[in-house]
Amino acid sequence: MTRPVPEAPPSDYRILVPRDWFHVDLTQDRWRGQLKTYVDREFAGSRTSSDVSRSAWVSLRNMVENGLARGALEFFLRTESPGGTKAEPASLLISWPPVPRGAAPTVEEFARVFNERRGPDYDVDVIDLPAGRTVCIRTVTALDYHVRMPGEAGYLHLAFSIPLSGTESSMGNLCDAMAHSLRWVRGR
């Protein structure tokens, strides 16, 4: 009996994100300047103190730095509150955590690990997205999709944070639709 030939890892991914979401490319060293541009734009003309904008900048910078330690590639932001960033914006952090090829657990094993850590208001499901088998973790304000990559290349992580309206809202539905839009670009 012959084993099936494994699929080749993708060369890239594509995901549909609305144009009004601010994009920060984390693969470039200029991400701090891009993030600062976002914060400055959000607080321009507002009557909030500089301490509030500085706090927003530090919070977002820390989020990115923590993400970069786990293979973050892109960061998207969208303010949900009218008139500026009174609360954290909705966000999408896309990461490809480094895992040796072929060493990533199966989707079921991965889901089991998350189920063992499960807390209140923490749902773990294995779902099928067009891009492949996925572990979906839903809390009140976050949606995490761990999408198994072809060719045993590991998991692409889509981390949505929706602090203002929560996951049971039109913004939560939009984030779910974005995750469902993920497609792989075939390797060469």
Side-chain angles (χ1 to χ4, degrees), residues 31 35-36 39 43 50-66 88:
W31 68 264
L35 199 56
K36 182 79 168 93
V39 171
F43 284 96
S50 62
D51 290 342
V52 174
S53 66
R54 189 173 16 261
S55 175
W57 155 250
V58 168
S59 175
L60 292 171
R61 184 202 62 212
N62 289 344
M63 188 183 306
V64 168
E65 287 176 346
N66 287 333
E88 286 186 37

mmCIF file of all heavy atoms in Angstrom, residues 31 35-36 39 43 50-66 88:
data_model
loop_
_atom_site.group_PDB
_atom_site.id
_atom_site.type_symbol
_atom_site.label_atom_id
_atom_site.label_comp_id
_atom_site.label_asym_id
_atom_site.label_seq_id
_atom_site.Cartn_x
_atom_site.Cartn_y
_atom_site.Cartn_z
ATOM 1 N N TRP A 31 6.618 48.859 11.392
ATOM 2 C CA TRP A 31 5.314 48.640 11.991
ATOM 3 C C TRP A 31 5.012 49.624 13.128
ATOM 4 O O TRP A 31 3.871 50.023 13.308
ATOM 5 C CB TRP A 31 5.145 47.192 12.453
ATOM 6 C CG TRP A 31 6.002 46.762 13.615
ATOM 7 C CD1 TRP A 31 7.193 46.117 13.562
ATOM 8 C CD2 TRP A 31 5.713 46.950 15.006
ATOM 9 N NE1 TRP A 31 7.677 45.889 14.822
ATOM 10 C CE2 TRP A 31 6.781 46.382 15.729
ATOM 11 C CE3 TRP A 31 4.668 47.526 15.715
ATOM 12 C CZ2 TRP A 31 6.833 46.384 17.117
ATOM 13 C CZ3 TRP A 31 4.713 47.538 17.101
ATOM 14 C CH2 TRP A 31 5.789 46.961 17.796
ATOM 15 N N LEU A 35 1.654 51.857 13.330
ATOM 16 C CA LEU A 35 0.765 51.811 14.490
ATOM 17 C C LEU A 35 0.579 53.194 15.092
ATOM 18 O O LEU A 35 -0.530 53.575 15.477
ATOM 19 C CB LEU A 35 1.338 50.834 15.519
ATOM 20 C CG LEU A 35 0.388 50.306 16.575
ATOM 21 C CD1 LEU A 35 -0.821 49.634 15.954
ATOM 22 C CD2 LEU A 35 1.125 49.324 17.477
ATOM 23 N N LYS A 36 1.645 53.975 15.141
ATOM 24 C CA LYS A 36 1.568 55.355 15.652
ATOM 25 C C LYS A 36 0.657 56.198 14.765
ATOM 26 O O LYS A 36 -0.136 57.005 15.268
ATOM 27 C CB LYS A 36 2.980 55.959 15.716
ATOM 28 C CG LYS A 36 3.037 57.359 16.271
ATOM 29 C CD LYS A 36 2.962 57.353 17.771
ATOM 30 C CE LYS A 36 3.296 58.692 18.366
ATOM 31 N NZ LYS A 36 2.144 59.532 18.587
ATOM 32 N N VAL A 39 -2.920 55.447 15.772
ATOM 33 C CA VAL A 39 -3.297 56.084 17.043
ATOM 34 C C VAL A 39 -3.463 57.589 16.850
ATOM 35 O O VAL A 39 -4.448 58.181 17.308
ATOM 36 C CB VAL A 39 -2.264 55.762 18.150
ATOM 37 C CG1 VAL A 39 -2.520 56.583 19.403
ATOM 38 C CG2 VAL A 39 -2.283 54.272 18.475
ATOM 39 N N PHE A 43 -7.057 59.781 17.392
ATOM 40 C CA PHE A 43 -7.204 60.790 18.432
ATOM 41 C C PHE A 43 -7.127 62.219 17.903
ATOM 42 O O PHE A 43 -7.265 63.160 18.666
ATOM 43 C CB PHE A 43 -6.157 60.569 19.528
ATOM 44 C CG PHE A 43 -6.486 59.417 20.424
ATOM 45 C CD1 PHE A 43 -5.936 58.163 20.192
ATOM 46 C CD2 PHE A 43 -7.365 59.571 21.469
ATOM 47 C CE1 PHE A 43 -6.252 57.088 21.001
ATOM 48 C CE2 PHE A 43 -7.689 58.504 22.296
ATOM 49 C CZ PHE A 43 -7.130 57.258 22.053
ATOM 50 N N SER A 50 -3.590 63.526 26.314
ATOM 51 C CA SER A 50 -2.496 62.817 25.655
ATOM 52 C C SER A 50 -2.183 61.509 26.379
ATOM 53 O O SER A 50 -1.657 60.574 25.780
ATOM 54 C CB SER A 50 -1.261 63.700 25.567
ATOM 55 O OG SER A 50 -0.822 64.041 26.861
ATOM 56 N N ASP A 51 -2.518 61.441 27.679
ATOM 57 C CA ASP A 51 -2.310 60.196 28.427
ATOM 58 C C ASP A 51 -3.158 59.060 27.862
ATOM 59 O O ASP A 51 -2.718 57.912 27.830
ATOM 60 C CB ASP A 51 -2.651 60.386 29.911
ATOM 61 C CG ASP A 51 -1.634 61.264 30.629
ATOM 62 O OD1 ASP A 51 -0.521 61.444 30.093
ATOM 63 O OD2 ASP A 51 -1.964 61.770 31.722
ATOM 64 N N VAL A 52 -4.363 59.376 27.400
ATOM 65 C CA VAL A 52 -5.249 58.351 26.846
ATOM 66 C C VAL A 52 -4.678 57.818 25.533
ATOM 67 O O VAL A 52 -4.628 56.610 25.310
ATOM 68 C CB VAL A 52 -6.685 58.899 26.645
ATOM 69 C CG1 VAL A 52 -7.565 57.888 25.931
ATOM 70 C CG2 VAL A 52 -7.292 59.283 27.991
ATOM 71 N N SER A 53 -4.230 58.716 24.659
ATOM 72 C CA SER A 53 -3.653 58.254 23.392
ATOM 73 C C SER A 53 -2.351 57.496 23.636
ATOM 74 O O SER A 53 -2.079 56.488 22.977
ATOM 75 C CB SER A 53 -3.440 59.415 22.414
ATOM 76 O OG SER A 53 -2.469 60.305 22.883
ATOM 77 N N ARG A 54 -1.559 57.941 24.587
ATOM 78 C CA ARG A 54 -0.317 57.241 24.923
ATOM 79 C C ARG A 54 -0.636 55.844 25.467
ATOM 80 O O ARG A 54 0.024 54.866 25.119
ATOM 81 C CB ARG A 54 0.502 58.043 25.932
ATOM 82 C CG ARG A 54 1.882 57.502 26.157
ATOM 83 C CD ARG A 54 2.800 58.364 27.026
ATOM 84 N NE ARG A 54 2.184 59.402 27.840
ATOM 85 C CZ ARG A 54 2.111 60.699 27.519
ATOM 86 N NH1 ARG A 54 2.605 61.123 26.378
ATOM 87 N NH2 ARG A 54 1.548 61.566 28.331
ATOM 88 N N SER A 55 -1.677 55.734 26.289
ATOM 89 C CA SER A 55 -2.083 54.445 26.834
ATOM 90 C C SER A 55 -2.556 53.503 25.716
ATOM 91 O O SER A 55 -2.228 52.307 25.715
ATOM 92 C CB SER A 55 -3.195 54.650 27.864
ATOM 93 O OG SER A 55 -3.675 53.413 28.312
ATOM 94 N N ALA A 56 -3.303 54.052 24.758
ATOM 95 C CA ALA A 56 -3.756 53.248 23.616
ATOM 96 C C ALA A 56 -2.559 52.755 22.817
ATOM 97 O O ALA A 56 -2.486 51.588 22.426
ATOM 98 C CB ALA A 56 -4.700 54.055 22.727
ATOM 99 N N TRP A 57 -1.596 53.658 22.581
ATOM 100 C CA TRP A 57 -0.390 53.297 21.841
ATOM 101 C C TRP A 57 0.365 52.172 22.547
ATOM 102 O O TRP A 57 0.750 51.173 21.938
ATOM 103 C CB TRP A 57 0.509 54.522 21.651
ATOM 104 C CG TRP A 57 1.964 54.204 21.469
ATOM 105 C CD1 TRP A 57 2.967 54.441 22.351
ATOM 106 C CD2 TRP A 57 2.579 53.570 20.342
ATOM 107 N NE1 TRP A 57 4.166 53.995 21.846
ATOM 108 C CE2 TRP A 57 3.957 53.450 20.599
ATOM 109 C CE3 TRP A 57 2.103 53.082 19.137
ATOM 110 C CZ2 TRP A 57 4.851 52.880 19.723
ATOM 111 C CZ3 TRP A 57 3.002 52.509 18.241
ATOM 112 C CH2 TRP A 57 4.361 52.416 18.539
ATOM 113 N N VAL A 58 0.553 52.292 23.856
ATOM 114 C CA VAL A 58 1.298 51.290 24.618
ATOM 115 C C VAL A 58 0.569 49.955 24.600
ATOM 116 O O VAL A 58 1.184 48.899 24.396
ATOM 117 C CB VAL A 58 1.537 51.781 26.070
ATOM 118 C CG1 VAL A 58 2.046 50.662 26.963
ATOM 119 C CG2 VAL A 58 2.515 52.957 26.076
ATOM 120 N N SER A 59 -0.746 49.974 24.766
ATOM 121 C CA SER A 59 -1.537 48.741 24.752
ATOM 122 C C SER A 59 -1.428 48.024 23.409
ATOM 123 O O SER A 59 -1.184 46.815 23.352
ATOM 124 C CB SER A 59 -2.999 49.070 25.060
ATOM 125 O OG SER A 59 -3.798 47.927 24.941
ATOM 126 N N LEU A 60 -1.583 48.779 22.314
ATOM 127 C CA LEU A 60 -1.493 48.178 20.985
ATOM 128 C C LEU A 60 -0.070 47.704 20.682
ATOM 129 O O LEU A 60 0.131 46.627 20.113
ATOM 130 C CB LEU A 60 -1.968 49.165 19.920
ATOM 131 C CG LEU A 60 -3.459 49.498 19.966
ATOM 132 C CD1 LEU A 60 -3.779 50.644 19.018
ATOM 133 C CD2 LEU A 60 -4.303 48.272 19.652
ATOM 134 N N ARG A 61 0.926 48.493 21.079
ATOM 135 C CA ARG A 61 2.327 48.096 20.865
ATOM 136 C C ARG A 61 2.636 46.798 21.597
ATOM 137 O O ARG A 61 3.261 45.890 21.059
ATOM 138 C CB ARG A 61 3.272 49.200 21.326
ATOM 139 C CG ARG A 61 4.738 48.864 21.023
ATOM 140 C CD ARG A 61 5.712 49.622 21.896
ATOM 141 N NE ARG A 61 5.502 49.252 23.291
ATOM 142 C CZ ARG A 61 5.688 50.068 24.318
ATOM 143 N NH1 ARG A 61 6.084 51.309 24.129
ATOM 144 N NH2 ARG A 61 5.482 49.667 25.540
ATOM 145 N N ASN A 62 2.172 46.688 22.849
ATOM 146 C CA ASN A 62 2.407 45.469 23.624
ATOM 147 C C ASN A 62 1.727 44.264 22.979
ATOM 148 O O ASN A 62 2.290 43.161 22.951
ATOM 149 C CB ASN A 62 1.942 45.645 25.065
ATOM 150 C CG ASN A 62 2.833 46.586 25.853
ATOM 151 O OD1 ASN A 62 3.956 46.898 25.441
ATOM 152 N ND2 ASN A 62 2.336 47.055 26.980
ATOM 153 N N MET A 63 0.517 44.480 22.452
ATOM 154 C CA MET A 63 -0.201 43.404 21.776
ATOM 155 C C MET A 63 0.604 42.910 20.572
ATOM 156 O O MET A 63 0.758 41.708 20.362
ATOM 157 C CB MET A 63 -1.587 43.891 21.328
ATOM 158 C CG MET A 63 -2.477 42.793 20.789
ATOM 159 S SD MET A 63 -4.081 43.389 20.168
ATOM 160 C CE MET A 63 -4.730 44.283 21.547
ATOM 161 N N VAL A 64 1.142 43.845 19.806
ATOM 162 C CA VAL A 64 1.935 43.485 18.627
ATOM 163 C C VAL A 64 3.228 42.782 19.049
ATOM 164 O O VAL A 64 3.600 41.752 18.470
ATOM 165 C CB VAL A 64 2.243 44.723 17.759
ATOM 166 C CG1 VAL A 64 3.305 44.416 16.719
ATOM 167 C CG2 VAL A 64 0.978 45.231 17.089
ATOM 168 N N GLU A 65 3.924 43.314 20.035
ATOM 169 C CA GLU A 65 5.178 42.700 20.454
ATOM 170 C C GLU A 65 4.966 41.279 20.966
ATOM 171 O O GLU A 65 5.761 40.377 20.671
ATOM 172 C CB GLU A 65 5.887 43.570 21.491
ATOM 173 C CG GLU A 65 6.488 44.820 20.862
ATOM 174 C CD GLU A 65 7.114 45.780 21.851
ATOM 175 O OE1 GLU A 65 6.882 45.639 23.081
ATOM 176 O OE2 GLU A 65 7.843 46.682 21.396
ATOM 177 N N ASN A 66 3.874 41.051 21.707
ATOM 178 C CA ASN A 66 3.553 39.695 22.151
ATOM 179 C C ASN A 66 3.240 38.804 20.944
ATOM 180 O O ASN A 66 3.645 37.644 20.902
ATOM 181 C CB ASN A 66 2.371 39.694 23.116
ATOM 182 C CG ASN A 66 2.740 40.240 24.474
ATOM 183 O OD1 ASN A 66 3.890 40.167 24.889
ATOM 184 N ND2 ASN A 66 1.770 40.802 25.168
ATOM 185 N N GLU A 88 -10.635 49.817 23.353
ATOM 186 C CA GLU A 88 -9.742 49.210 22.379
ATOM 187 C C GLU A 88 -10.506 48.966 21.085
ATOM 188 O O GLU A 88 -11.678 48.609 21.102
ATOM 189 C CB GLU A 88 -9.221 47.883 22.926
ATOM 190 C CG GLU A 88 -8.197 48.035 24.017
ATOM 191 C CD GLU A 88 -7.623 46.687 24.419
ATOM 192 O OE1 GLU A 88 -7.426 45.822 23.555
ATOM 193 O OE2 GLU A 88 -7.401 46.518 25.620
#
